[in-house]
Amino acid sequence: MHQQQPFDSSLEKPQFPGASAEFVDNLEFIQPNVISGIPVYRVMDRQGKIINPSEDPQLSKETVLNFYQKMTLLNTMDRILYESQRQGRISFYMTNYGEEGTHIGSAAALESNDIVFGQYREAGVLMYRGFPLDLFMAQCYANADDLGKGRQMPVHYGSKDLNFVTISSPLATQIPQAVGAAYALKRENMNRAVICYFGEGAASEGDAHAGFNFSATLECPMIFFCRNNGYAISTPTNEQYRGDGIAARGPGYGMLSIRVDGNDVFAVYNATKEARRRAVAENQPFLIEAMTYRIGHHSTSDDSSAYRSVDEVNYWDKQDHPISRLRHYMTARSWWSEDDERSWRKQSRKTVMEAFERAERRLKPNPELLFTDVYQEMIPSLSKQRESLFRHIQQYKEHYPLDLYEK
Amino acid sequence: MAAAAARLLIRGSHQTLPISSVGTGKQSCIGNALLTLSSGCNSRLKTQRRHAAHFTFQPDPVPTQYGSTQKMNLFQSITSALDNTLASDPTAVIFGEDVAFGGVFRCTVGLRDKYGKDRVFNTPLCEQGIVGFGIGAAVAGATAIAEIQFADYIFPAFDQIVNEAAKYRYRSGNLFDCGNLTIRAPWGCVGHGSLYHSQSPEAFFAHCPGIKIVIPRGPTQAKGLLLSCIADNNPCIFFEPKILYRAAVEQVPVDAYTIPLSQAEVLQEGSDVTLVAWGTQIHVLREVANMAQEKLGVSCEVIDLRTILPWDNETVCKVSGHHSIVSIIVGHFIIGI
């Protein structure tokens, strides 16, 4: 970490306040190392076999089963909601295919009162923390049960109880915000940390630069968790950056950094666990770059076959998937059988479908909720707008879908 | 923002010189020669006229209801408000570029020594970071008072203010909010600030539901309104007319007090015309009202709007209801109603 050295003119050393370094008498530019980049930390191989026993987190059967069930439940919910969007039943959706391991592994390594700031592809973190299926559905349907009162697009979840800050669409804005929250937690001194998720595309935003730099100079207990899945919509990473990914930027900000196999839930768990422990103990930020692959389309408004091959997608879906890898691990220990798989699939599908149907039947919120929470209090001009809307609706009610909304 | 070089110019002049003597003789000489093509560039009179203030500050009456008062200029009244806040609210933090040593306009002098470096601290030079950081601290329950060094440099934080701060409560269904955030920024022309040390950007923000925008006309107003912004449960932008930092001096209560937001103040009753302004421009309109009375026999109502958003249209409309003309002066713009 850069500490400004005390000025001492007697030393034959550079005295520049901006860096601590020796002189060198030959001209040499520093070469970025992009061919042989920061290595990818891995705990188990693609067959679910632990590579180095000393790195095995040795989680209990119960914990591992919970990991697996949360990942697969998320996967089932994704499939059903994706289909429902295709049928026009919800307006928009974004799946988490291939990134389930990054969510569950990292969420499991946190304390429940740690604050989470996310981008939008981290529904598994909420799933791990116990966000009910009904509330996922309520948000996507913008029905009267939605904690967000139906105001945002689908998948913009939030939960005060679970310390998961409401998602917003503008990319990377959450990054410096997470730093501010971590600073506030540090001052509270209650042994809490903040985790902030973002994609490798969002890392190109100015706000990412702001957040990394602030977190280091202001010594904030937080974890930056980058999901590097190879694409920002259609843009491949070689059009996103030319350095060694995102992890290589961390040291430039004076941040401890690591790259992990994002399809290895144990590698993600270990890295997050240790980063969290040290972030809180030492009040400094950590950067984790989880390498993974976005198996699904960017969103329901995107057809990814327009810019990448089906073979590429199939490789990650069939041969290196976080769910199948964990299943291999469980099978090898006889913790999970074909029968278990069949009955769990059936049960999880049924649970999701039931929540789905309940959400679809539910009315939408009272239109009055369009006007509240703009400010904490109802301001006179908004109150007038509300009254004029109600007068208008009274007069022209046949032109509005009022039967779909609560009264 | 690359404000560093330009900032020095303003910083130097404000820290060491009174407003009326800003600029060096040499520069004045060259400037005058170019403008007038005359040899009279050393004329003391011309230099004085060039630097004459465009307004005469009129102090508010000494407030009696809030206890003892002290003579303060505007920057001192800001410090006083911040001091009261840090003393009463242990979560409150103040941050921005160069606030630790007292700020380039002296608004935070002494606060770091008094309250600690974890509560009054410099950030890296990055406005989007400052506002994003402030939002996050507020979301986590702290009282966050961010400083943007000049209102001219608030634009890199426009996205954080408009898309994030303003919409936080609404979009989360009131699960989360950043109501404890206040952003302070020096505002308005200063005589020689040119393009990036003079701007009055309130109208950009006036189109953004979810935030409050407040501008005081003098030290007493500044302290009371700033304390209201800090206490308010909505994100507020507080613009400080920097030409008044030293020029405006009046008796200001030492203890904390608040002046309500979204309430305009009728400074002068009148029956023919209503004049509405805010910030330094209030002092211009008070003079105009006198001129109108003296030269035209026209009776002017003078209103300080104080809060730009959500503005007090009730007071303005009530007062102006029986008048034929209302002028609304927005900094250097005239909207008109």
Side-chain angles (χ1 to χ4, degrees):
Chain A
M1 300 314 106
H2 169 64
Q3 292 293 331
Q4 202 158 312
Q5 56 192 3
F7 177 76
D8 183 353
S9 62
S10 67
L11 292 177
E12 254 316 298
K13 263 192 70 157
Q15 291 297 314
F16 308 108
S20 175
E22 298 296 329
F23 284 119
V24 61
D25 57 12
N26 59 318
L27 174 72
E28 196 181 345
F29 290 100
I30 303 300
Q31 183 88 23
N33 192 352
V34 291
I35 305 299
S36 173
I38 295 170
V40 183
Y41 171 66
R42 195 159 79 135
V43 171
M44 61 178 160
D45 66 15
R46 283 172 209 159
Q47 281 68 49
K49 192 164 163 291
I50 299 291
I51 299 160
N52 174 358
S54 68
E55 294 292 319
D56 185 348
Q58 298 188 328
L59 300 171
S60 69
K61 177 183 172 186
E62 189 188 14
T63 305
V64 174
L65 287 187
N66 182 39
F67 281 16
Y68 186 77
Q69 292 187 335
K70 291 285 161 62
M71 284 159 72
T72 45
L73 183 62
L74 174 64
N75 188 265
T76 303
M77 183 180 83
D78 274 350
R79 286 172 200 281
I80 288 169
L81 286 177
Y82 181 83
E83 281 310 315
S84 82
Q85 194 284 333
R86 298 284 93 175
Q87 296 163 14
R89 297 160 87 165
I90 60 174
S91 63
F92 179 79
Y93 195 68
M94 299 176 107
T95 63
N96 302 277
Y97 301 150
E99 299 183 46
E100 297 90 342
T102 62
H103 306 176
I104 302 301
S106 58
L110 300 170
E111 297 295 324
S112 61
N113 63 351
D114 290 341
I115 302 180
V116 180
F117 284 79
Q119 177 165 308
Y120 48 61
R121 212 183 297 282
E122 296 92 10
V125 176
L126 267 175
M127 189 72 87
Y128 187 84
R129 288 193 168 193
F131 198 58
L133 284 171
D134 284 315
L135 291 182
F136 281 110
M137 304 290 174
Q139 200 283 330
C140 290
Y141 268 104
N143 71 25
D145 294 331
D146 175 23
L147 302 174
K149 304 179 186 172
R151 290 165 180 157
Q152 290 211 89
M153 282 174 73
V155 313
H156 291 56
Y157 310 115
S159 169
K160 182 77 176 171
D161 293 343
L162 302 176
N163 293 300
F164 188 99
V165 178
T166 301
I167 298 298
S168 75
S169 304
L171 288 179
T173 48
Q174 81 279 15
I175 299 176
Q177 292 172 12
V179 180
Y183 190 88
L185 294 192
K186 175 173 79 165
R187 288 203 65 243
E188 271 183 10
N189 203 18
M190 298 288 281
N191 195 29
R192 293 170 74 190
V194 171
I195 191 165
C196 178
Y197 296 90
F198 53 94
E200 90 286 349
S204 295
E205 292 281 3
D207 276 336
H209 163 66
F212 298 161
N213 199 27
F214 277 50
S215 71
T217 62
L218 298 171
E219 299 169 352
C220 297
M222 70 167 301
I223 303 161
F224 294 107
F225 194 106
C226 177
R227 300 174 291 96
N228 189 333
N229 63 18
Y231 291 90
I233 306 188
S234 74
T235 306
T237 54
N238 70 331
E239 292 168 20
Q240 199 63 249
Y241 53 75
R242 284 298 162 97
D244 173 25
I246 309 305
R249 296 179 196 169
Y253 290 98
M255 219 175 352
L256 282 109
S257 306
I258 195 170
R259 174 173 282 157
V260 303
D261 183 340
N263 298 340
D264 177 347
V265 70
F266 296 145
V268 172
Y269 174 84
N270 280 355
T272 312
K273 188 94 180 159
E274 179 64 0
R276 197 234 170 244
R277 185 187 71 76
R278 291 192 59 186
V280 172
E282 301 163 22
N283 281 326
Q284 62 166 325
F286 284 75
L287 171 61
I288 298 172
E289 182 185 26
M291 308 308 291
T292 177
Y293 187 84
R294 194 195 77 210
I295 293 173
H297 301 300
H298 164 69
S299 72
T300 48
S301 308
D302 170 54
D303 172 10
S304 69
S305 68
Y307 50 82
R308 61 182 188 179
S309 76
V310 178
D311 289 348
E312 183 184 309
V313 177
N314 277 340
Y315 167 81
W316 295 101
D317 195 19
K318 307 286 180 253
Q319 294 179 48
D320 192 2
H321 197 289
I323 291 179
S324 54
R325 208 192 289 194
L326 186 62
R327 194 174 157 197
H328 287 314
Y329 174 90
M330 290 156 56
T331 310
R333 273 153 195 76
S334 304
W335 291 355
W336 196 254
S337 66
E338 276 296 332
D339 284 348
D340 291 330
E341 179 72 15
R342 256 194 304 277
S343 70
W344 169 244
R345 287 209 171 219
K346 202 172 157 193
Q347 186 195 332
S348 59
R349 194 176 157 77
K350 182 165 172 281
T351 327
V352 174
M353 281 310 296
E354 282 168 2
F356 177 79
E357 282 160 11
R358 277 195 298 273
E360 197 166 41
R361 282 197 301 270
R362 191 83 170 83
L363 287 175
K364 291 186 180 298
N366 188 316
E368 181 191 30
L369 295 179
L370 272 171
F371 297 93
T372 56
D373 304 327
V374 177
Y375 293 90
Q376 188 196 38
E377 68 279 12
M378 175 57 65
I379 63 166
S381 64
L382 270 176
S383 155
K384 273 185 195 153
Q385 282 185 47
R386 181 176 57 184
E387 284 156 26
S388 65
L389 176 72
F390 286 166
R391 273 199 309 276
H392 173 84
I393 285 180
Q394 203 53 40
Q395 193 170 353
Y396 299 104
K397 47 176 149 328
E398 68 275 22
H399 300 292
Y400 291 91
L402 294 180
D403 52 329
L404 302 180
Y405 289 81
E406 281 200 333
K407 299 217 168 40
Chain B
M1 218 45 209
R7 185 166 86 198
L8 281 175
L9 171 101
I10 300 287
R11 183 202 282 188
S13 62
H14 276 262
Q15 280 176 350
T16 57
L17 297 169
I19 297 286
S20 58
S21 64
V22 167
T24 67
K26 195 174 174 190
Q27 284 166 337
S28 307
C29 178
I30 293 166
N32 262 1
L34 285 172
L35 284 170
T36 63
L37 298 174
S38 79
S39 59
C41 68
N42 285 328
S43 156
R44 196 177 158 78
L45 189 70
K46 277 189 183 170
T47 308
Q48 277 179 348
R49 193 186 308 145
R50 231 168 62 102
H51 295 304
H54 67 283
F55 65 96
T56 306
F57 174 72
Q58 295 195 28
D60 277 351
V62 179
T64 51
Q65 66 272 46
Y66 307 117
S68 68
T69 62
Q70 202 174 305
K71 204 168 166 186
M72 295 185 203
N73 63 25
L74 196 137
F75 86 62
Q76 289 163 333
S77 78
I78 299 294
T79 315
S80 176
L82 298 175
D83 189 1
N84 292 149
T85 302
L86 290 169
S88 65
D89 177 355
T91 72
V93 288
I94 296 172
F95 51 90
E97 296 157 12
D98 306 300
V99 301
F101 86 112
V104 300
F105 288 110
R106 321 308 292 149
C107 292
T108 51
V109 167
L111 297 176
R112 184 186 179 88
D113 289 342
K114 192 168 174 184
Y115 295 101
K117 59 185 183 181
D118 66 318
R119 302 192 64 193
V120 181
F121 51 92
N122 291 337
T123 64
L125 209 166
C126 179
E127 285 75 12
Q128 62 200 95
I130 292 169
V131 174
F133 179 91
I135 292 171
V139 166
T143 296
I145 306 169
E147 176 178 307
I148 297 296
Q149 201 160 70
F150 287 85
D152 313 58
Y153 304 125
I154 204 168
F155 299 108
F158 202 72
D159 183 43
Q160 286 284 355
I161 294 170
V162 174
N163 276 331
E164 296 291 319
K167 296 171 174 59
Y168 231 96
R169 188 189 298 277
Y170 184 79
R171 76 184 184 203
S172 69
N174 203 22
L175 294 179
F176 296 93
D177 69 84
C178 59
N180 291 339
L181 171 68
T182 302
I183 303 166
R184 303 171 35 244
W187 165 99
C189 70
V190 70
H192 55 275
S194 195
L195 283 83
Y196 307 110
H197 300 81
S198 302
Q199 292 184 41
S200 306
E202 61 272 29
F204 285 106
F205 297 102
H207 293 262
C208 177
I211 53 171
K212 296 191 176 181
I213 311 162
V214 179
I215 309 178
R217 65 170 181 274
T220 305
Q221 291 288 309
K223 180 170 174 179
L225 288 168
L226 177 56
L227 284 170
S228 289
C229 283
I230 294 168
D232 195 88
N233 286 324
N234 299 284
C236 296
I237 302 177
F238 188 75
F239 285 127
E240 299 163 4
K242 60 183 169 291
I243 202 166
L244 299 178
Y245 271 141
R246 284 165 184 277
V249 181
E250 61 194 13
Q251 288 291 328
V252 178
V254 177
D255 290 339
Y257 61 97
T258 54
I259 296 173
L261 305 183
S262 292
Q263 282 190 22
E265 184 180 4
V266 181
L267 293 177
Q268 183 179 314
E269 305 283 341
S271 52
D272 297 324
V273 155
T274 298
L275 304 177
V276 184
W278 51 88
T280 320
Q281 205 69 1
I282 278 297
H283 306 294
V284 174
L285 284 200
R286 281 179 142 172
E287 235 172 297
V288 167
N290 289 341
M291 285 170 67
Q293 187 66 59
E294 281 169 25
K295 300 194 174 174
L296 306 171
V298 169
S299 162
C300 297
E301 198 112 58
V302 178
I303 299 180
D304 182 356
L305 197 59
R306 302 197 291 197
T307 298
I308 307 302
L309 183 74
W311 70 295
D312 181 5
N313 58 354
E314 199 180 319
T315 295
V316 174
C317 294
K318 188 163 65 190
V319 167
S320 63
H322 54 284
H323 300 153
S324 52
I325 305 168
V326 181
S327 294
I328 296 196
I329 302 184
V330 189
H332 44 274
F333 297 92
I334 297 176
I335 294 176
I337 289 185

